[in-house]
Amino acid sequence: MPQISTKVHELTVGQLSARSGAAVSALHFYESKGLISSRRTSGNQRRYERDALRRVAFIRAAQRVGIPLATIREALAELPDERTPNREDWARMSELWRSELDQRIAQLNQLRDRLADCIGCGCLSLDKCALSNPEDRFGGYGSGSVLLAVADKPGGSAPAAKTAKAGTAAQTGTPGRNAPSDRCAEPGA
C-alpha cells in the first residue's frame, strides 16, 4: 500500500484510490451520491482532504455488511459539520443497523431453509414456494400459472386473476392445481 507523506494534506483521486483500495470509478460514484467531497483545482482536477480516507473506509465497511448507500449517506449527514466518523460514531451507527441486519439474516436463513421447496420455474403451481409464492398468497387467484395466462390475454392483467376462483378447467379456463401448463418447464409441476 503506497504511503503518503503526512505533509500532504490533499490527495488526488489516484492517491485516494490507491490508499483506500476503492476504484477511481467508485470514488467518483461516492462523490456523486454526496458521500465524499472534493475541491477542484484550477486545472479541474479533484483534490480530497486526507480525512476522505476514513470516510471511504467507513463507507466500504458499512457496504460490506450490507448497509445500503442511502442509509450510509443519512448516517454521514447526521455528523456535525460533515466531519469524518470516528470509532464512537461507528459504534453508535452499527448498533442502529444491527436490528436491520438481524432481520435480513433471519430472512436469508428462512429462504435457505425453504429452498428445497422451490421449483424454480416460476409457474406458481406449488403452494409452498418460499421464493415466488410465500404462504401461498397466489393460491386464491386460481391454479397453475393463472397469473401468467391472464396477463397474456389482450387487455388482461395479473390483478384480474383475482376474480378467478380455483375450480375445474371449464369454470376458470385454467388447468387444475399442479397440472402441467404450457408455461411450466417442470413436468408435473
Side-chain angles (χ1 to χ4, degrees):
M1 185 175 317
Q3 294 296 315
I4 300 170
S5 168
T6 55
K7 296 177 185 176
V8 175
H9 298 290
E10 290 186 322
L11 307 174
T12 66
V13 70
Q15 288 172 321
L16 182 58
S17 173
R19 191 78 172 96
S20 69
V24 170
S25 59
L27 296 172
H28 290 169
F29 181 76
Y30 293 161
E31 189 171 356
S32 74
K33 297 300 179 187
L35 297 164
I36 60 175
S37 60
S38 68
R39 72 168 186 86
R40 296 292 182 131
T41 66
S42 59
N44 203 29
Q45 295 177 340
R46 290 177 168 93
R47 292 293 184 263
Y48 298 89
E49 296 288 326
R50 270 188 94 84
D51 64 354
L53 281 168
R54 183 171 289 156
R55 281 181 87 88
V56 171
F58 178 89
I59 293 163
R60 292 179 53 129
Q63 280 186 297
R64 263 194 298 279
V65 296
I67 305 300
L69 283 178
T71 304
I72 298 168
R73 182 178 51 244
E74 291 169 7
L76 289 171
E78 290 178 11
L79 297 175
D81 300 323
E82 292 191 17
R83 72 170 168 76
T84 300
N86 57 32
R87 186 182 309 260
E88 292 80 26
D89 295 324
W90 177 257
R92 183 176 35 81
M93 290 179 208
S94 63
E95 187 60 38
L96 294 173
W97 295 334
R98 185 177 305 276
S99 64
E100 180 183 328
L101 291 173
D102 287 343
Q103 183 180 11
R104 269 198 251 154
I105 290 168
Q107 288 171 335
L108 287 170
N109 283 334
Q110 186 179 35
L111 284 174
R112 181 204 58 214
D113 295 344
R114 297 168 86 188
L115 191 59
D117 292 337
C118 177
I119 57 174
C121 70
C123 76
L124 308 177
S125 62
L126 284 181
D127 62 357
K128 288 185 172 183
C129 183
L131 299 177
S132 63
N133 191 17
E135 286 133 31
D136 193 24
R137 68 175 183 247
F138 296 120
Y141 298 162
S143 56
S145 55
V146 67
L147 299 178
L148 295 174
V150 172
D152 286 344
K153 291 181 183 175
S157 66
K162 292 178 182 179
T163 59
K165 300 288 183 203
T168 65
Q171 291 171 322
T172 64
T174 60
R177 178 166 293 287
N178 293 333
S181 74
D182 59 346
R183 290 283 192 125
C184 183
E186 294 289 324

